[in-house]
């Protein structure tokens, strides 16, 4: 799947630099923001209606009446199983993705969906699809993130 | 004016090529993965510094460098940049040898430090790839000079003293053409470094390493023996194949791979305007071991149907029904005894004619739409392989290289 994403600080709007200290990381001296589902309150960067936002990643803490996961299978979405949540398509910007400790390049971002819980709070789920043979060997996982204009 | 030869070698070329189009990779430890996504085939200097070596599996590389970013190979893109480098050197030099995808020899007669550094800077700023350049009187010295001054090195050997300093104490294994076995033979005679090799008795070297070894000795001494080859010498054999992308004992898939590799082999034969008289099929099994069989064809041919039938025939011998439990992991088809189409020996017996119009239609469609757009239906079981465009282009599809 995709347990974490990283976005280089240069690609994050300046206005959002503050308040992100807890996810700042230096990869060989190059600053980036890391978004991991392992965090207690995981969040993801999202581009929605032209805006760059940072929103809760799925429903890990079971605080909302939403699927208790951080991912949504493309097949389920297409089958209408998420229709009751009226999901909106979003782009999750990222430079790198990580699964089982293996970081891989993300060229244009990952597809995601944005849904609202009962209180109107927005949550984002990362879309996944069956892994290609290449990804499966590389990351040892049968599912991979739904990458935009990219095939691993 | 003394003749000079330049050797240009792109620094960690595949990684540099990825950095050209993905700026976010610059400065980071980065590895390019093999066709199956398992092994590191190229590494950045940052990754090398962590102890990651070429051909290391990703699962061994990650503990050494948890921050490393891994990228899928894209030989199509690497070829684009490689050709750009080649074209740029062609503008500066009257003779250029396309040695490999990331290495080129060129005539640098009359060049000085300024011209050499200017070429290096032009490639970096114009194409985005850092290169190391060595210039010397011979190809062996030029290559040694660029290899020993990586990354982004620039070194000229203009005097005999420069040459002596370059080769002094350098392990003989650093010389291209001296492999481990040759190095062992030399070691038994007390020759372990380049300077010892250059000072050795030529007849002894010829006895140990044939005339090739003697030529290397002369080259290290500054006497040119290997000219710049602007055209590749004629192939003695052509091979296509590799990993099956996961071992399989599904007969339909294995047969599909025979067809797939044969399509690629025919393409190579067509490119080089060759016919083949003999065909070899070689298999390796996941459980260990392998089998290889060769067949003589009724007459020299590059006709797909004839070669595919021969390949399937060989498959019956390499992978008989009694061993069908063995999973095939690697397959190679090799065209041996090549004959140029301009001058070839016809068979004594008339070979069965097949309809070449089908092949012509297939080729014209693929020329227009794209490689493998129309392919034999026997390759349909290879769904996963054809789903990924990057599988359509491999390193051996980069033609014109004089080395590999």
């Amino acid at each position: 799947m995709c347990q974490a994403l990283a976005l280089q600080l240069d690609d994050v709007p300046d206005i959002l630099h503050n308040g992100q200290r807890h996810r700042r990381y230096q990869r060989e001296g190059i600053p980036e923001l890391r978004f991991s589902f392992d965090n207690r309150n995981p969040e993801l960067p999202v581009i929605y209606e032209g805006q760059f936002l940072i929103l809760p990643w799925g429903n890990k803490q079971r605080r909302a009446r939403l699927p208790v996961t951080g991912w949504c299978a493309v097949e389920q979405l297409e089958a209408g199983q998420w229709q009751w949540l009226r999901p909106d398509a979003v782009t999750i910007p990222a430079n790198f993705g990580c699964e089982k400790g293996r970081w891989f390049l993300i060229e244009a971002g990952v597809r995601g969906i944005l849904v609202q819980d009962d209180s109107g709070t927005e949550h984002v789920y990362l879309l996944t699809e069956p892994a290609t043979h290449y990804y499966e060997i590389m990351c040892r996982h049968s599912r991979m993130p739904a990458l935009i204009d990219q095939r691993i | 004016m003394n003749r000079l030869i330049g050797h240009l070698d792109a620094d960690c070329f595949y990684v540099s090529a990825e950095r050209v189009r993905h700026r976010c990779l610059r400065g980071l430890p980065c590895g390019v993965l093999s066709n199956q996504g398992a092994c590191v085939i190229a590494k950045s200097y940052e990754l090398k510094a962590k102890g990651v070596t070429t051909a290391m599996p990703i699962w061994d590389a990650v503990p050494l460098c948890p921050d490393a970013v891994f990228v899928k190979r894209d030989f199509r893109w690497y070829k684009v940049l490689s050709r750009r480098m080649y074209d740029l050197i062609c503008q500066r030099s009257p003779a250029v040898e396309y040695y490999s995808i990331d290495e080129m020899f060129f005539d640098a007669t009359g060049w000085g430090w300024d011209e050499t550094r200017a070429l290096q800077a032009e490639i970096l700023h114009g194409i985005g790839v850092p290169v190391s350049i060595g210039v010397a009187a011979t190809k062996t010295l030029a290559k040694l000079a660029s290899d020993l001054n990586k990354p982004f090195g620039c070194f000229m050997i203009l005097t005999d003293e420069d040459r002596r300093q370059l080769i002094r104490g350098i392990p003989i294994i650093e010389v291209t053409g001296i492999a481990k076995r040759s190095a062992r033979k030399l070691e038994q005679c007390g020759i372990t470094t380049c300077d010892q090799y250059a000072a050795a008795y030529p007849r002894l070297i010829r006895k140990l390493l044939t005339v090739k070894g003697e030529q290397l000795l002369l080259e290290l001494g500054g006497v040119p023996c290997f000219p710049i080859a602007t055209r590749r010498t004629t192939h003695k054999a052509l091979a296509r194949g590799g990993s099956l992308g996961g071992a399989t004992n599904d007969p339909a898939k294995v047969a599909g791979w025979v067809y797939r590799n044969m399509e690629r082999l025919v393409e190579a034969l067509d490119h080089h305007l060759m016919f083949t008289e003999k065909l070899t099929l070689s298999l390796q099994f996941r459980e260990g071991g392998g089998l290889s069989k060769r067949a003589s064809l009724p007459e020299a041919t590059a006709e797909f149907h004839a070669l595919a039938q021969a390949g399937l025939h060989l498959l019956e011998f390499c992978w008989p029904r009694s061993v069908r439990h063995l999973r095939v992991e690697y397959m190679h088809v090799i065209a041996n005894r090549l004959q140029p189409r301009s001058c070839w020996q016809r068979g004594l017996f008339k070979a069965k004619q097949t309809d070449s119009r089908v092949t012509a239609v297939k080729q014209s469609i693929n020329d227009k739409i794209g490689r493998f757009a129309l392919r034999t239906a026997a390759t349909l079981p290879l769904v996963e392989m054809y789903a990924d465009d990057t599988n359509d282009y491999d390193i051996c599809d980069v033609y014109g290289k004089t080395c590999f």
Side-chain angles (χ1 to χ4, degrees):
Chain A
M1 216 122 66
C2 185
Q3 286 286 337
L5 294 169
L7 187 60
Q8 288 186 339
L9 211 57
D10 284 351
D11 294 332
V12 179
D14 291 347
I15 198 163
L16 289 171
H17 283 201
N18 292 332
Q20 301 298 324
R21 205 166 287 274
H22 61 293
R23 42 178 143 250
R24 271 204 192 194
Y25 188 86
Q26 298 276 332
R27 193 192 293 263
E28 290 288 313
I30 298 170
E32 64 181 30
L33 300 183
R34 283 196 183 174
F35 301 87
S36 174
F37 196 72
D38 292 339
N39 292 347
R40 189 173 163 79
N41 294 306
E43 291 179 309
L44 275 178
V46 168
I47 295 174
Y48 180 57
E49 293 179 342
Q51 278 194 307
F52 191 107
L53 309 165
I54 292 177
L55 298 175
W57 182 351
N59 183 25
K60 188 179 176 183
Q61 301 291 350
R62 299 168 186 261
R63 286 183 185 147
R65 281 178 48 206
L66 292 173
V68 186
T69 176
W71 302 270
C72 164
V74 169
E75 306 92 296
Q76 287 181 1
L77 189 71
E78 287 170 354
Q81 292 176 27
W82 288 65
Q83 207 53 48
W84 62 282
L85 289 165
R86 287 186 286 174
D88 271 342
V90 291
T91 295
I92 300 166
N95 297 114
F96 313 117
C98 182
E99 176 60 44
K100 301 228 169 36
R102 292 150 197 201
W103 287 96
F104 52 89
L105 177 75
I106 294 176
E107 292 175 7
V110 186
R111 290 169 60 203
I113 54 166
L114 186 143
V115 298
Q116 288 186 353
D117 61 21
D118 294 341
S119 65
T121 306
E122 291 166 324
H123 297 248
V124 61
Y125 287 82
L126 194 145
L127 284 177
T128 68
E129 58 192 18
T132 59
H133 174 72
Y134 202 95
Y135 186 90
E136 199 167 347
I137 298 279
M138 183 172 77
C139 291
R140 298 275 174 209
H141 206 288
S142 59
R143 295 196 69 81
M144 66 186 288
L147 302 168
I148 297 167
D149 299 331
Q150 183 188 358
R151 188 179 173 87
I152 293 180
Chain B
M1 190 184 292
N2 288 339
R3 194 176 173 83
L4 285 176
I5 294 174
H7 176 256
L8 180 142
D9 193 350
D11 299 332
C12 55
F13 178 56
Y14 296 167
V15 172
S16 298
E18 293 297 344
R19 285 172 171 171
V20 170
R21 57 180 180 179
H22 303 301
R23 291 184 64 88
C24 61
L25 292 171
R26 294 181 186 187
L28 298 183
C30 174
V32 175
L33 296 176
S34 60
N35 284 1
Q36 302 305 319
C39 293
V40 177
I41 56 169
K43 63 211 175 291
S44 68
Y45 288 98
E46 295 85 359
L47 193 57
K48 189 180 179 182
K50 306 279 183 185
V52 175
T53 57
T54 302
M56 182 181 273
I58 185 172
W59 46 90
D60 290 340
V62 168
L64 293 174
C65 185
D67 277 349
V69 178
F70 295 95
V71 186
K72 184 183 180 183
R73 85 281 180 267
D74 182 356
F75 292 115
R76 220 180 246 120
W77 173 240
Y78 307 154
K79 183 197 165 186
V80 169
L81 293 187
S82 176
R83 282 288 167 186
R84 277 186 203 166
M85 288 198 294
Y86 176 77
D87 291 343
L88 207 148
I89 304 169
C90 284
Q91 290 170 18
R92 303 277 175 282
S93 171
V96 183
E97 176 178 340
Y98 191 51
Y99 186 65
S100 70
I101 195 166
D102 62 343
E103 286 182 70
M104 286 145 219
F105 286 102
F106 58 95
D107 186 345
T109 305
W111 283 42
W113 286 94
D114 289 346
E115 289 85 351
T116 312
R117 288 205 178 103
L119 176 67
Q120 193 183 31
E122 200 169 347
I123 291 176
L124 180 67
H125 297 124
I127 300 167
V129 176
V131 298
S132 295
I133 301 179
V135 177
T138 70
K139 284 172 87 173
T140 306
L141 284 172
K143 183 161 166 52
L144 200 60
S146 65
D147 287 350
L148 295 176
N149 287 283
K150 279 175 154 289
F152 207 60
C154 184
F155 201 79
M156 294 193 81
I157 299 162
L158 300 171
T159 65
D160 200 48
E161 185 50 34
D162 292 343
R163 181 190 67 79
R164 283 175 204 278
Q165 275 193 7
L166 176 83
I167 64 173
R168 190 174 297 146
I170 300 297
I172 191 62
I173 201 85
E174 296 286 338
V175 174
T176 303
I178 306 282
K180 279 182 188 165
R181 230 169 76 181
S182 301
R184 273 199 299 272
K185 281 185 194 172
L186 292 168
E187 196 178 354
Q188 285 167 1
C189 297
I191 301 168
T192 55
T193 62
C194 291
D195 48 329
Q196 289 170 346
Y197 187 79
Y201 187 45
R203 285 182 72 175
L204 168 74
I205 298 297
R206 182 187 277 240
K207 200 175 159 190
L208 289 173
L209 306 179
T210 73
V211 71
K212 275 277 183 203
E214 191 182 353
Q215 286 174 326
L216 280 175
L217 178 145
L218 292 169
E219 285 248 324
L220 278 178
V223 180
C225 295
F226 307 129
I228 293 170
T230 50
R231 296 180 73 178
R232 197 197 191 290
T233 50
T234 311
H235 284 272
K236 288 181 179 164
L238 284 169
R240 287 293 182 270
S243 166
L244 267 54
T248 179
N249 60 356
D250 177 347
K253 278 195 173 177
V254 175
W257 276 104
V258 172
Y259 280 102
R260 151 90 177 174
N261 288 328
M262 215 56 81
E263 280 184 338
R264 295 178 64 210
L265 186 67
V266 167
E267 193 183 53
L269 287 165
D270 286 344
H271 177 84
H272 293 289
L273 296 173
M274 291 282 185
F275 287 134
T276 180
E277 262 186 70
K278 288 179 187 282
L279 184 75
T280 303
L281 179 74
S282 175
L283 301 182
Q284 275 181 279
F285 303 109
R286 168 67 63 85
E287 290 76 8
L291 266 173
S292 185
K293 291 283 176 194
R294 183 188 288 189
S296 293
L297 301 163
E299 72 172 7
T301 184
E303 208 264 311
F304 171 72
H305 187 74
L307 290 172
Q309 289 308 309
L312 290 178
H313 176 72
L314 289 170
L315 185 64
E316 291 295 321
F317 290 94
C318 290
W319 197 47
R321 287 176 200 285
S322 56
V323 298
R324 288 276 162 102
H325 60 281
L326 297 177
R327 289 170 300 163
V328 183
E329 193 164 29
Y330 293 93
M331 176 190 293
H332 286 92
V333 290
I334 305 154
N336 311 99
R337 294 200 48 184
L338 302 177
Q339 291 190 12
R341 291 186 191 178
S342 55
C343 166
W344 59 288
Q345 175 68 54
R346 299 209 71 137
L348 289 173
F349 305 100
K350 198 175 180 202
K352 190 182 167 191
Q353 292 294 308
T354 53
D355 193 349
S356 59
R357 286 177 302 175
V358 176
T359 311
V361 168
K362 184 172 144 187
Q363 195 168 334
S364 68
I365 290 174
N366 285 342
D367 286 347
K368 275 185 190 166
I369 298 175
R371 215 168 161 220
F372 302 115
L374 190 63
R375 57 190 162 94
T376 174
T379 58
L380 283 175
L382 313 179
V383 179
E384 182 67 43
M385 207 272 304
Y386 281 101
D388 187 352
D389 285 348
T390 49
N391 287 327
D392 290 354
Y393 207 83
D394 213 338
I395 185 69
C396 56
D397 296 316
V398 181
Y399 289 118
K401 307 186 298 299
T402 58
C403 182
F404 54 82

